Amino acid sequence: MTTQGSDSKSKLVEQQPAAGPAVPPGSRSSVPGQDCLGCRMVGMAFGLGGGGYIMSQLLQVPPPKGAHKVATIVTACTMFAFGMYRALG
């Protein structure tokens, strides 16, 4: 709200919020909690690619041992699961 002065008295003028981008009715992106195919594809690529990259760290010479190896496998599997969730869910 802003005040706008006139001769001896002020009155409050309510401003309307700026209009957001127009979303066609019935489009999938207008439904909360769902997103477009491109967003799902990027999320899937990120999850599967990230999981593959992290898993490739097990091929280093010398390979990780102990807790480092376990943490690498758990992280890679989590990334794979994220990618599959984005692809199918």
Side-chain angles (χ1 to χ4, degrees), residues 17-72:
V23 177
S27 73
R28 188 169 177 161
S29 61
S30 66
V31 179
Q34 295 182 352
D35 45 18
C36 63
L37 178 62
C39 298
R40 296 179 75 80
M41 296 299 289
V42 168
M44 180 191 70
F46 173 77
L48 297 180
Y53 174 75
I54 293 170
M55 193 64 83
S56 74
Q57 300 302 308
L58 294 173
L59 301 175
Q60 289 181 350
V61 176
K65 295 179 182 166
H68 184 209
K69 183 176 183 178
V70 171
T72 302

